[in-house]
């Protein structure tokens, strides 16, 4: 395949393989998004009189054909195509003739690839967002259902104070709600249109960047052309940092689950369909899904480190090193999406072993309560502490009630209504954003779309 930059030399095959082989696989995921970017760019060119009515119509049929071929898995990148941007332009030129050669007017592959990546990332984030909300809801439902189930609370992995299954699950819901703040910041930063910044220095044409950004549903135009390129890899790293926060919550949940399902603890059980066995030990039922959930935050940390590293020590502007940022970004988005789905399956399948968990409720968990009872009778805390340290084993804890811990966030007052309200607000925010995105994308894809009149 002829390269877009082809002049009077041919690229050495070993070099071509080195430069493009991994990229060809990754770029396959960008087909739809590169087409969307190209559709909007073409409309922008039409708006400023650089494409005629006839040409924009032709291009639209060309874009639609590629979308159809891609849906049928017949638009497959092959060695020699270099990248998705080249393949699409070459295809348009082959099928439509001269007009195909006009689509690259006023853009560079540098802003083109950035646009496709931002759209791809946005699309993925719009899948991760509701999956996070569903996981939060699952934790909140679990917390409400088991708000009264006592369990030991641990510090230093030693029994500390009475806790509840409700407190335990509610902690993950609240953690994930916090993570949404970081997530939305990353979403907003990614939601900027780099299209029109060209190679990183703009072009001497009257491009209407805002018009094109609106067509693509971007929140704003990324203003400075050079910054568009400088932000490649950096915005990706912010996105992955936000995903890491989510996976940190999932990591802790998975680690607890692994402990609570051991035969020594047996506080809870996980449905058999979610567990696997051993090839040699017939008795085994492993919750290895939780181990694989736990591991993913580490993979993302590696990806984060790749993204920060790849985008550092580069001089301003486009550097080909940035091509390697696609793999860690794409992998992080995909892993987070599947972790959220799997974590929800796990939460929904947890069965509490009440008998076992009751046996774990032992006197030392109430030592602090006895000390505080003395405090209520006027004894100083330090004196009460010393007295209780020698007597707590003999004391009864049958008169203890969860309701005694009524301050907000205590086991008698989990603050679930507030968290539910917060979740509802978050669900609304997501719905608004998702509806906006769906409307913009279907309007762009629609053949009925009327072109804006030329000024
Ligand atoms: N595959 C490249 C990337 O992802 C395409 C961008 C531009 N290439 C170029 N030689 N300027 O970065």
């Amino acid at each position: 395949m002829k390269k877009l930059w082809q002049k009077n030399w041919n690229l050495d095959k070993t070099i071509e393989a080195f430069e493009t082989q991994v990229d060809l696989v990754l770029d396959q995921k960008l087909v739809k998004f590169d087409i969307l970017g190209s559709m909007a760019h073409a409309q922008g060119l039409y708006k400023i009189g650089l494409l005629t009515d006839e040409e924009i119509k032709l291009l639209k049929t060309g874009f639609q054909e590629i979308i159809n071929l891609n849906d049928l898995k017949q638009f497959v990148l092959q060695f020699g195509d270099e990248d998705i941007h080249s393949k699409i332009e070459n295809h348009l030129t082959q099928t439509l003739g001269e007009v195909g050669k006009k689509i690259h007017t006023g853009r560079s592959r540098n802003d083109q690839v950035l646009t496709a990546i931002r759209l791809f990332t946005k699309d993925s984030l719009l899948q991760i967002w509701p999956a996070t909300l569903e996981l939060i809801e699952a934790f909140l439902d679990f917390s409400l259902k088991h708000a009264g189930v006592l369990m030991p609370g641990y510090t230093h992995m030693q029994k500390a104070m009475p806790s509840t299954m409700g407190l335990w699950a509610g902690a993950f819901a609240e953690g994930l709600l916090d993570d949404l703040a970081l997530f939305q910041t990353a979403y907003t930063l990614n939601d900027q249109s780099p299209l029109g910044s060209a190679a990183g220095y703009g072009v001497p044409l009257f491009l209407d960047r805002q018009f094109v950004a609106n067509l693509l549903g971007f929140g704003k135009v990324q203003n400075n052309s050079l910054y568009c390129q400088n932000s490649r890899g950096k915005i990706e790293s912010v996105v992955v940092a936000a995903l890491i926060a989510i996976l940190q919550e999932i990591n802790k949940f998975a680690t607890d689950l692994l402990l609570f399902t051991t035969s020594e603890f047996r506080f809870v059980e996980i449905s058999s369909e979610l567990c696997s066995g051993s090839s040699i030990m017939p008795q085994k039922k492993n919750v290895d899904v939780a181990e694989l959930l736990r591991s993913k935050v580490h993979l993302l940390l590696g990806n984060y480190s790749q993204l920060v590293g790849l985008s550092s020590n580069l001089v301003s502007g486009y550097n080909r090193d940035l091509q390697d940022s696609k793999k860690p970004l794409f992998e992080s988005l995909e892993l987070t999406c599947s972790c959220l789905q799997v974590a929800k399956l796990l939460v929904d399948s947890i069965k509490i072993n009440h008998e076992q968990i009751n046996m774990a409720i032992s006197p030392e968990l109430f030592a602090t309560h006895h000390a505080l009872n003395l405090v209520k009778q006027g004894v100083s805390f330090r004196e009460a502490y010393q007295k209780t340290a020698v007597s707590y084993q003999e004391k009864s804890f049958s008169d203890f009630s969860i309701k005694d811990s009524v301050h907000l966030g205590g086991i008698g007052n989990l603050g679930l209504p507030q968290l539910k309200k917060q979740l509802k607000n978050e669900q609304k925010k997501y719905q608004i954003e998702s509806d906006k995105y769906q409307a913009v994308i279907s309007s762009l894809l629609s053949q009925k779309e009327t072109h804006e009149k030329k000024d």
Side-chain angles (χ1 to χ4, degrees):
M1 184 64 72
K2 196 161 169 274
K3 307 289 176 280
L4 296 180
W5 47 264
Q6 194 92 46
K7 288 176 282 277
N8 58 355
W9 74 88
N10 288 320
L11 189 59
D12 177 275
K13 292 284 171 252
T14 307
I15 300 295
E16 179 161 8
F18 177 70
E19 289 186 347
T20 68
Q21 237 162 11
V22 175
D23 213 39
L24 290 171
V25 178
L26 297 168
D27 271 16
Q28 195 64 49
K29 296 179 195 295
L30 292 180
V31 177
K32 177 179 157 201
F33 304 97
D34 204 58
I35 289 289
L36 289 172
S38 297
M39 282 175 144
H41 180 65
Q43 293 206 31
L45 294 178
Y46 172 76
K47 184 170 187 276
I48 59 171
L50 292 179
L51 289 175
T52 64
D53 288 291
E54 199 47 46
E55 286 172 331
I56 185 88
K57 268 190 208 131
L58 263 178
L59 279 172
K60 280 194 153 210
T61 58
F63 292 138
Q64 194 54 52
E65 194 211 347
I66 297 176
I67 290 173
N68 297 344
L69 285 173
N70 188 48
D71 288 347
L72 296 168
K73 305 214 177 312
Q74 287 171 11
F75 196 75
V76 182
L77 285 141
Q78 270 149 13
F79 185 74
D81 285 334
E82 183 148 308
D83 58 27
I84 188 57
H85 326 294
S86 309
K87 185 171 173 72
I88 289 175
E89 184 176 325
N90 281 327
H91 185 89
L92 292 172
T93 306
Q94 276 164 13
T95 55
L96 307 176
E98 281 304 295
V99 67
K101 297 182 188 167
K102 291 195 172 185
I103 186 62
H104 211 54
T105 313
R107 77 175 177 187
S108 152
R109 277 183 297 170
N110 298 351
D111 62 335
Q112 191 181 350
V113 67
L114 256 185
T115 306
I117 291 170
R118 297 264 164 92
L119 291 172
F120 171 84
T121 303
K122 184 170 176 175
D123 194 270
S124 301
L125 293 179
L126 283 169
Q127 292 167 44
I128 290 171
W129 198 342
T132 308
L133 293 169
E134 278 174 32
L135 182 59
I136 294 171
E137 190 158 40
F139 276 127
L140 283 181
D141 289 348
F142 185 95
S143 177
L144 188 64
K145 190 165 166 203
H146 303 294
V149 178
L150 264 188
M151 70 181 280
Y154 298 85
T155 70
H156 312 272
M157 293 192 76
Q158 302 291 333
K159 281 185 183 171
M161 290 182 72
S163 177
T164 61
M165 275 283 159
L167 186 78
W168 175 70
F172 300 118
E174 194 166 331
L176 289 167
L177 278 166
D178 271 0
D179 297 339
L180 282 179
L182 202 56
F183 177 90
Q184 281 154 30
T185 299
Y187 180 91
T188 305
L189 288 184
N190 177 71
D191 199 20
Q192 306 186 66
S193 176
L195 205 53
S197 62
Y201 302 95
V203 282
L205 293 171
F206 288 112
L207 297 180
D208 188 342
R209 295 189 63 203
Q210 186 63 57
F211 169 75
V212 173
N214 291 347
L215 285 180
L216 289 168
F218 277 115
K220 75 183 271 282
V221 170
Q222 194 173 17
N223 173 54
N224 184 304
S225 295
L226 183 57
Y227 172 56
C228 291
Q229 287 309 315
N230 287 358
S231 67
R232 186 164 176 199
K234 188 180 171 199
I235 289 182
E236 282 88 330
S237 73
V238 174
V239 168
V240 173
L243 303 182
I244 285 174
I246 294 173
L247 292 195
Q248 265 181 291
E249 278 314 316
I250 293 182
N251 171 284
K252 196 172 288 297
F253 162 66
T255 305
D256 284 351
L257 214 51
L258 284 160
L259 182 68
F260 296 162
T261 51
T262 56
S263 51
E264 287 75 12
F265 271 76
R266 284 204 295 122
F267 285 178
V268 298
E269 260 179 55
I270 299 298
S271 317
S272 301
E273 313 91 76
L274 306 187
C275 301
S276 45
S278 154
S279 62
I280 176 171
M281 297 164 280
Q283 87 286 8
K284 292 278 269 173
K285 192 164 110 181
N286 297 323
V287 193
D288 39 4
V289 58
E291 295 169 293
L292 287 168
L293 265 188
R294 185 171 61 175
S295 67
K296 298 300 179 281
V297 70
H298 303 290
L299 300 185
L300 262 72
L301 267 174
N303 289 343
Y304 176 78
S305 157
Q306 284 189 44
L307 287 165
V308 175
L310 280 167
S311 52
S312 303
N313 289 354
L314 301 178
V315 292
S316 285
Y318 178 79
N319 295 269
R320 189 88 185 256
D321 316 43
L322 293 169
Q323 176 172 296
D324 281 335
S325 64
K326 278 186 276 196
K327 189 162 174 273
L329 174 70
F330 291 8
E331 185 189 82
S332 301
L333 290 164
E334 277 161 25
L335 285 176
T336 305
C337 213
S338 53
C339 281
L340 285 160
Q341 287 158 359
V342 168
K344 182 178 162 7
L345 275 178
L346 274 173
V347 179
D348 290 344
S349 88
I350 297 174
K351 295 257 172 318
I352 296 177
N353 187 344
H354 291 276
E355 201 182 316
Q356 191 71 15
I357 216 165
N358 278 338
M359 272 162 49
I361 306 299
S362 49
E364 71 261 47
L365 289 167
F366 300 87
T368 309
H369 287 69
H370 290 306
L372 290 174
N373 272 342
L374 291 177
V375 165
K376 283 180 198 160
Q377 292 157 27
V379 183
S380 75
F381 176 71
R382 195 49 61 209
E383 201 169 317
Y385 174 101
Q386 291 298 344
K387 277 194 175 149
T388 315
V390 291
S391 64
Y392 71 87
Q393 290 284 11
E394 292 87 55
K395 296 211 186 272
S396 154
F397 52 86
S398 54
D399 55 347
F400 161 80
S401 163
I402 288 178
K403 293 199 178 66
D404 292 341
S405 298
V406 283
H407 64 73
L408 184 60
I411 56 175
N413 181 7
L414 298 177
L416 295 180
Q418 290 95 314
L419 294 182
K420 273 266 178 203
K421 206 167 138 199
Q422 210 181 324
L423 175 62
K424 269 215 152 63
N425 279 336
E426 294 298 337
Q427 285 165 332
K428 268 190 218 146
K429 273 195 239 171
Y430 159 72
Q431 208 49 57
I432 291 169
E433 204 49 49
S434 166
D435 291 349
K436 220 163 59 183
Y437 173 76
Q438 297 303 342
V440 164
I441 297 305
S442 48
S443 141
L444 193 55
L445 288 173
S446 157
Q447 287 296 319
K448 287 178 263 102
E449 162 93 37
T450 50
H451 323 303
E452 179 145 324
K453 282 277 158 286
K454 277 173 262 187
D455 299 321

